[in-house]
Amino acid sequence: MKKILFVRHGKAESASWEVDDLDRTLTDQGKYDTEMVVDEISKRLELDGQNTFLVVSDAKRTCQSAAIYESKLALPKRVCNIWKNLYGDYTTSEFVEYVAEKVPNEYDNLIVVGHNPTLSDIVNQMAIELDCWMSTSSCVCLAFDMSSWSDLEARSAELYFSLFPSEIR
């Protein structure tokens, strides 16, 4: 059994002409919501550096969100990998190809910290049946009945759980 935890970054400062989009940082609310969601995840899913691989886009807000996951889940820094192109539009087939090629099989869990609309699109395409729009700081965990990441296919996952900050507050 392999699981992918899709995480949308926390709420970020508003877009402006003065700050490049990749340089936008989390707001206090974004940090709070992300911490709250991670606390709830830790009750539902056993994640540690021995079985968890983390990939994150190169935007500041996703790196900050990933750092909260690393800290609260006690994941070693070595499991965090920057996926530069994750910021842009990624197709489901490109996602499947990346995971099959880049995620070592010794990891049973994968955390992907990214952006909308790409993240919501991929989540909906990976699940057997799901229609979900990921709000900031939300997560969706999908379970795949497979032993190797190279066996990953679209429309093959069951929803394990989803968490939205509005449900926890």
Side-chain angles (χ1 to χ4, degrees), residues 64-126:
Q64 288 176 308
S65 296
I68 293 169
Y69 274 75
E70 287 175 325
S71 173
K72 289 192 127 329
L73 298 174
L75 298 174
K77 294 276 187 202
R78 65 175 173 74
V79 300
C80 183
N81 301 272
I82 300 293
W83 185 357
K84 287 190 176 218
N85 295 332
L86 187 58
Y87 179 78
D89 290 332
Y90 238 78
T91 66
T92 303
S93 60
E94 289 169 321
F95 175 79
V96 168
E97 183 179 310
Y98 177 92
V99 171
E101 290 178 7
K102 303 286 185 180
V103 180
N105 275 327
E106 70 242 31
Y107 296 100
D108 292 327
N109 300 304
L110 170 62
I111 300 174
V112 178
V113 185
H115 310 266
N116 265 351
T118 303
L119 205 59
S120 290
D121 291 344
I122 291 173
V123 165
N124 291 324
Q125 292 297 313
M126 294 307 295

XYZ file of all heavy atoms in Angstrom, residues 64-126:
506
model
N 7.733 27.123 2.812
C 7.375 27.425 4.199
C 6.355 26.415 4.726
O 6.460 25.963 5.869
C 6.796 28.836 4.304
C 7.817 29.936 4.142
C 7.150 31.305 4.157
O 6.195 31.565 3.421
N 7.663 32.178 5.012
N 5.388 26.052 3.908
C 4.398 25.045 4.314
C 5.082 23.701 4.552
O 4.814 23.022 5.551
C 3.303 24.896 3.247
O 2.569 26.093 3.110
N 5.985 23.318 3.648
C 6.718 22.058 3.804
C 7.564 22.065 5.071
O 7.676 21.043 5.764
C 7.598 21.801 2.582
N 8.145 23.205 5.416
C 8.952 23.302 6.639
C 8.096 23.051 7.876
O 8.566 22.445 8.851
C 9.624 24.672 6.718
N 6.849 23.483 7.853
C 5.939 23.206 8.975
C 5.687 21.705 9.073
O 5.707 21.123 10.162
C 4.622 24.000 8.815
C 4.905 25.499 8.959
C 3.573 23.527 9.820
C 3.744 26.405 8.568
N 5.481 21.052 7.941
C 5.292 19.595 7.933
C 6.539 18.899 8.466
O 6.445 17.988 9.290
C 4.968 19.097 6.521
C 3.494 19.174 6.199
C 2.884 20.393 5.924
C 2.708 18.039 6.190
C 1.533 20.471 5.646
C 1.351 18.106 5.916
C 0.770 19.330 5.649
O -0.573 19.401 5.386
N 7.707 19.305 7.977
C 8.968 18.701 8.433
C 9.122 18.829 9.945
O 9.471 17.871 10.626
C 10.165 19.364 7.753
C 10.338 18.990 6.315
C 11.468 19.775 5.658
O 11.671 20.957 5.987
O 12.145 19.182 4.808
N 8.865 20.009 10.455
C 9.042 20.275 11.876
C 8.031 19.508 12.732
O 8.400 18.800 13.665
C 8.919 21.772 12.132
O 8.936 22.049 13.504
N 6.762 19.631 12.416
C 5.714 19.032 13.249
C 5.677 17.507 13.136
O 5.261 16.836 14.076
C 4.358 19.627 12.909
C 4.231 21.074 13.389
C 2.823 21.534 13.313
C 2.195 22.116 14.502
N 2.430 21.833 15.814
N 6.095 16.974 12.001
C 6.104 15.522 11.826
C 7.486 14.917 12.068
O 7.676 13.717 11.896
C 5.623 15.153 10.423
C 4.190 15.560 10.083
C 3.885 15.277 8.620
C 3.185 14.852 10.993
N 8.445 15.766 12.451
C 9.822 15.339 12.720
C 10.441 14.612 11.524
O 11.113 13.595 11.665
C 9.896 14.473 13.985
N 10.207 15.157 10.329
C 10.811 14.596 9.118
C 12.201 15.194 8.945
O 12.368 16.400 9.072
C 9.970 14.931 7.886
C 8.548 14.399 7.845
C 7.820 14.946 6.620
C 8.533 12.888 7.840
N 13.187 14.381 8.642
C 14.519 14.944 8.415
C 14.548 15.756 7.122
O 13.844 15.457 6.161
C 15.411 13.710 8.304
C 14.503 12.570 8.032
C 13.142 12.942 8.529
N 15.354 16.796 7.097
C 15.450 17.670 5.917
C 15.799 16.896 4.654
O 15.425 17.273 3.571
C 16.499 18.757 6.145
C 16.122 19.728 7.235
C 15.231 20.799 6.711
C 15.017 21.855 7.771
N 13.838 22.618 7.542
N 16.488 15.808 4.789
C 16.957 15.076 3.615
C 15.825 14.492 2.776
O 16.024 14.121 1.632
C 17.920 13.971 4.010
C 17.276 12.881 4.833
C 18.241 11.736 5.110
N 17.658 10.798 6.026
C 16.697 9.939 5.720
N 16.229 9.886 4.499
N 16.206 9.126 6.619
N 14.627 14.393 3.333
C 13.536 13.815 2.544
C 12.797 14.855 1.712
O 11.902 14.525 0.959
C 12.525 13.022 3.421
C 13.208 11.890 4.144
C 11.760 13.922 4.350
N 13.166 16.132 1.839
C 12.486 17.187 1.084
C 13.205 17.435 -0.236
O 14.413 17.663 -0.261
C 12.426 18.476 1.894
S 11.514 19.784 1.062
N 12.465 17.371 -1.312
C 13.019 17.536 -2.644
C 12.265 18.622 -3.386
O 11.044 18.607 -3.441
C 12.903 16.221 -3.423
C 13.639 15.106 -2.725
O 14.817 14.921 -2.945
N 12.946 14.372 -1.854
N 12.998 19.555 -3.960
C 12.378 20.630 -4.737
C 12.014 20.107 -6.119
O 12.827 19.481 -6.793
C 13.336 21.842 -4.865
C 13.687 22.405 -3.487
C 12.726 22.920 -5.762
C 12.541 23.043 -2.741
N 10.787 20.371 -6.522
C 10.290 19.993 -7.842
C 9.925 21.292 -8.538
O 8.815 21.787 -8.431
C 9.087 19.093 -7.681
C 8.509 18.513 -8.930
C 8.904 18.732 -10.213
C 7.417 17.599 -8.994
N 8.127 18.019 -11.074
C 7.209 17.311 -10.351
C 6.599 17.004 -8.058
C 6.202 16.448 -10.787
C 5.613 16.157 -8.483
C 5.418 15.865 -9.827
N 10.913 21.870 -9.232
C 10.765 23.210 -9.804
C 9.541 23.360 -10.693
O 8.842 24.347 -10.628
C 12.018 23.615 -10.578
C 13.162 23.940 -9.676
C 14.284 24.559 -10.446
C 15.363 24.949 -9.455
N 16.003 26.177 -9.749
N 9.265 22.424 -11.534
C 8.158 22.560 -12.471
C 6.789 22.305 -11.846
O 5.777 22.455 -12.512
C 8.359 21.632 -13.671
C 9.564 22.033 -14.485
O 9.940 23.194 -14.504
N 10.189 21.083 -15.135
N 6.752 21.927 -10.583
C 5.478 21.674 -9.917
C 4.656 22.953 -9.785
O 3.457 22.921 -9.609
C 5.716 21.060 -8.530
C 4.499 20.580 -7.752
C 3.727 19.537 -8.545
C 4.916 20.008 -6.420
N 5.301 24.090 -9.899
C 4.601 25.369 -9.796
C 3.677 25.610 -10.979
O 2.613 26.178 -10.834
C 5.630 26.508 -9.686
C 4.993 27.869 -9.601
C 4.438 28.313 -8.419
C 4.933 28.697 -10.707
C 3.836 29.555 -8.335
C 4.352 29.940 -10.644
C 3.792 30.371 -9.450
O 3.201 31.590 -9.371
N 4.076 25.176 -12.127
C 3.285 25.435 -13.334
C 2.243 24.365 -13.578
O 1.937 23.545 -12.717
N 1.689 24.390 -14.767
C 0.687 23.388 -15.127
C 1.366 22.055 -15.363
O 2.271 21.941 -16.187
C -0.059 23.817 -16.395
C -0.963 25.002 -16.145
O -1.413 25.152 -14.999
O -1.213 25.765 -17.085
N 0.916 21.076 -14.649
C 1.434 19.726 -14.772
C 0.285 18.816 -15.127
O -0.773 18.898 -14.504
C 2.054 19.271 -13.439
C 3.493 18.885 -13.560
C 4.472 19.841 -13.620
C 3.857 17.550 -13.623
C 5.800 19.488 -13.734
C 5.186 17.189 -13.738
C 6.150 18.164 -13.792
O 7.454 17.809 -13.921
N 0.476 17.954 -16.081
C -0.578 17.007 -16.417
C -0.489 15.809 -15.485
O 0.550 15.559 -14.860
C -0.452 16.520 -17.875
O 0.750 15.755 -18.003
C -0.464 17.685 -18.855
N -1.559 15.067 -15.427
C -1.579 13.865 -14.595
C -0.541 12.865 -15.078
O 0.160 12.254 -14.277
C -2.989 13.242 -14.598
O -3.911 14.238 -14.145
C -3.053 12.034 -13.698
N -0.396 12.715 -16.376
C 0.593 11.758 -16.889
C 2.015 12.199 -16.541
O 2.871 11.363 -16.245
C 0.428 11.535 -18.390
O 0.593 12.735 -19.094
N 2.278 13.501 -16.570
C 3.599 13.991 -16.163
C 3.835 13.748 -14.677
O 4.941 13.395 -14.259
C 3.739 15.485 -16.468
C 3.848 15.786 -17.940
C 3.725 17.269 -18.248
O 2.911 17.969 -17.611
O 4.466 17.723 -19.150
N 2.789 13.902 -13.867
C 2.901 13.620 -12.441
C 3.217 12.142 -12.213
O 4.133 11.806 -11.457
C 1.595 13.998 -11.713
C 1.598 13.623 -10.269
C 2.256 14.397 -9.334
C 0.955 12.466 -9.837
C 2.280 14.048 -7.996
C 0.964 12.100 -8.501
C 1.633 12.895 -7.576
N 2.476 11.262 -12.866
C 2.697 9.819 -12.729
C 4.120 9.458 -13.151
O 4.811 8.695 -12.463
C 1.656 9.022 -13.555
C 2.036 7.552 -13.679
C 0.269 9.178 -12.940
N 4.570 10.019 -14.243
C 5.926 9.748 -14.743
C 6.978 10.220 -13.735
O 7.939 9.511 -13.458
C 6.123 10.448 -16.082
C 7.461 10.175 -16.733
C 7.568 10.877 -18.080
O 6.653 10.735 -18.903
O 8.587 11.571 -18.285
N 6.795 11.417 -13.189
C 7.745 11.950 -12.210
C 7.828 11.028 -10.991
O 8.915 10.656 -10.554
C 7.330 13.357 -11.764
C 8.246 13.917 -10.694
C 9.345 14.674 -11.035
C 8.013 13.673 -9.348
C 10.201 15.189 -10.064
C 8.860 14.173 -8.368
C 9.947 14.928 -8.731
O 10.792 15.408 -7.766
N 6.680 10.658 -10.447
C 6.663 9.809 -9.252
C 7.316 8.464 -9.545
O 8.148 7.979 -8.761
C 5.222 9.632 -8.726
C 5.163 8.581 -7.621
C 4.680 10.972 -8.215
N 6.980 7.852 -10.663
C 7.542 6.542 -11.020
C 9.061 6.592 -11.158
O 9.762 5.651 -10.782
C 6.906 6.037 -12.311
N 9.573 7.709 -11.671
C 11.019 7.830 -11.897
C 11.792 8.338 -10.685
O 12.942 7.969 -10.484
C 11.280 8.780 -13.071
C 10.879 8.216 -14.403
C 11.104 9.200 -15.540
O 11.690 10.285 -15.311
O 10.686 8.892 -16.667
N 11.190 9.216 -9.873
C 11.942 9.941 -8.846
C 11.726 9.483 -7.409
O 12.555 9.764 -6.558
C 11.611 11.445 -8.913
C 11.876 12.080 -10.251
C 13.330 12.261 -10.507
C 13.545 13.016 -11.807
N 14.910 13.230 -12.130
N 10.620 8.811 -7.125
C 10.343 8.434 -5.736
C 10.846 7.013 -5.496
O 10.361 6.061 -6.110
C 8.839 8.544 -5.408
C 8.584 8.157 -3.958
C 8.334 9.960 -5.682
N 11.811 6.856 -4.591
C 12.338 5.519 -4.301
C 11.268 4.615 -3.675
O 10.448 5.064 -2.870
C 13.468 5.790 -3.297
C 13.817 7.239 -3.489
C 12.537 7.908 -3.876
N 11.279 3.355 -4.035
C 10.264 2.410 -3.556
C 10.311 2.149 -2.064
O 9.336 1.667 -1.496
C 10.364 1.087 -4.318
C 9.592 1.145 -5.612
O 8.562 1.803 -5.700
N 10.093 0.478 -6.614
N 11.433 2.449 -1.413
C 11.484 2.204 0.034
C 10.550 3.125 0.815
O 10.248 2.881 1.970
C 12.909 2.333 0.572
C 13.434 3.743 0.568
C 14.660 3.919 -0.311
O 14.795 3.212 -1.319
O 15.475 4.775 0.030
N 10.062 4.185 0.168
C 9.123 5.106 0.812
C 7.695 4.682 0.496
O 7.338 4.518 -0.666
C 9.351 6.542 0.334
C 10.702 7.080 0.726
C 11.755 7.102 -0.180
C 10.927 7.561 2.013
C 12.999 7.592 0.182
C 12.170 8.055 2.388
C 13.194 8.066 1.466
O 14.424 8.555 1.828
N 6.897 4.503 1.534
C 5.496 4.141 1.347
C 4.589 5.353 1.251
O 3.462 5.243 0.776
C 5.017 3.257 2.506
C 5.674 1.894 2.489
O 5.968 1.391 1.387
O 5.902 1.331 3.574
N 5.071 6.490 1.749
C 4.270 7.708 1.745
C 4.984 8.809 0.967
O 6.189 8.982 1.093
C 4.023 8.201 3.172
C 3.285 7.180 4.000
O 2.207 6.739 3.632
N 3.868 6.778 5.116
N 4.197 9.547 0.213
C 4.701 10.685 -0.538
C 3.869 11.897 -0.152
O 2.637 11.824 -0.142
C 4.571 10.408 -2.040
C 4.826 11.568 -3.005
C 6.263 12.082 -2.875
C 4.529 11.134 -4.440
N 4.532 12.987 0.209
C 3.844 14.252 0.455
C 4.211 15.187 -0.685
O 5.387 15.385 -0.974
C 4.257 14.889 1.800
C 3.940 13.959 2.974
C 3.558 16.239 1.984
C 4.449 14.471 4.322
N 3.191 15.755 -1.329
C 3.385 16.691 -2.430
C 2.794 18.031 -2.002
O 1.587 18.125 -1.761
C 2.687 16.201 -3.725
C 2.864 17.205 -4.848
C 3.206 14.824 -4.128
N 3.638 19.053 -1.875
C 3.172 20.382 -1.475
C 3.200 21.273 -2.711
O 4.264 21.524 -3.272
C 4.050 20.981 -0.354
C 3.469 22.310 0.121
C 4.185 20.008 0.813
N 2.013 21.723 -3.124
C 1.942 22.475 -4.369
C 0.862 23.531 -4.396
O 0.447 24.048 -3.353
N 0.400 23.822 -5.608
C -0.470 24.956 -5.905
C -1.712 24.510 -6.661
O -1.699 23.497 -7.347
C 0.270 25.955 -6.812
C 1.619 26.337 -6.332
N 1.843 27.455 -5.572
C 2.833 25.738 -6.485
C 3.134 27.548 -5.284
N 3.749 26.522 -5.834
N -2.732 25.338 -6.594
C -3.899 25.172 -7.449
C -3.711 26.023 -8.695
O -2.972 26.995 -8.643
C -5.163 25.607 -6.708
C -5.842 24.429 -6.056
O -5.474 23.284 -6.279
N -6.831 24.714 -5.242
N -4.328 25.657 -9.781
C -5.306 24.596 -9.952
C -4.686 23.220 -10.208
O -5.377 22.212 -10.161
C -6.114 25.046 -11.172
C -5.133 25.808 -12.002
C -4.219 26.503 -11.015
N -3.383 23.193 -10.437
C -2.715 21.931 -10.795
C -2.948 20.840 -9.763
O -3.280 19.700 -10.106
C -1.204 22.162 -10.994
O -1.023 23.167 -11.987
C -0.498 20.897 -11.418
N -2.784 21.164 -8.487
C -2.903 20.152 -7.442
C -4.307 19.543 -7.404
O -4.445 18.311 -7.369
C -2.547 20.776 -6.086
C -2.056 19.839 -5.010
C -0.811 19.087 -5.446
C -1.772 20.613 -3.740
N -5.329 20.379 -7.424
C -6.704 19.854 -7.406
C -6.982 19.004 -8.637
O -7.628 17.947 -8.542
C -7.715 20.999 -7.321
O -7.679 21.609 -6.058
N -6.489 19.435 -9.780
C -6.689 18.660 -11.011
C -6.051 17.276 -10.899
O -6.671 16.268 -11.253
C -6.114 19.397 -12.220
C -6.893 20.650 -12.587
O -8.041 20.806 -12.115
O -6.336 21.485 -13.334
N -4.832 17.215 -10.410
C -4.142 15.926 -10.291
C -4.842 15.035 -9.279
O -5.044 13.840 -9.524
C -2.647 16.131 -9.957
C -1.922 16.740 -11.163
C -2.000 14.809 -9.547
C -0.489 17.145 -10.899
N -5.221 15.586 -8.136
C -5.931 14.802 -7.115
C -7.182 14.175 -7.714
O -7.446 12.981 -7.535
C -6.298 15.690 -5.902
C -7.338 15.030 -5.017
C -5.062 16.030 -5.093
N -7.964 14.965 -8.416
C -9.207 14.461 -8.999
C -8.962 13.408 -10.077
O -9.768 12.489 -10.240
C -10.039 15.614 -9.565
C -10.587 16.498 -8.459
O -10.942 16.031 -7.390
N -10.638 17.790 -8.721
N -7.859 13.511 -10.781
C -7.536 12.532 -11.821
C -6.925 11.247 -11.261
O -7.051 10.190 -11.867
C -6.577 13.134 -12.851
C -7.204 14.222 -13.698
C -8.355 13.693 -14.538
O -8.252 12.653 -15.187
N -9.468 14.388 -14.507
N -6.278 11.327 -10.111
C -5.640 10.135 -9.529
C -6.654 9.243 -8.822
O -6.489 8.031 -8.762
C -4.529 10.535 -8.554
C -3.344 11.237 -9.218
S -2.610 10.350 -10.615
C -1.966 8.895 -9.817
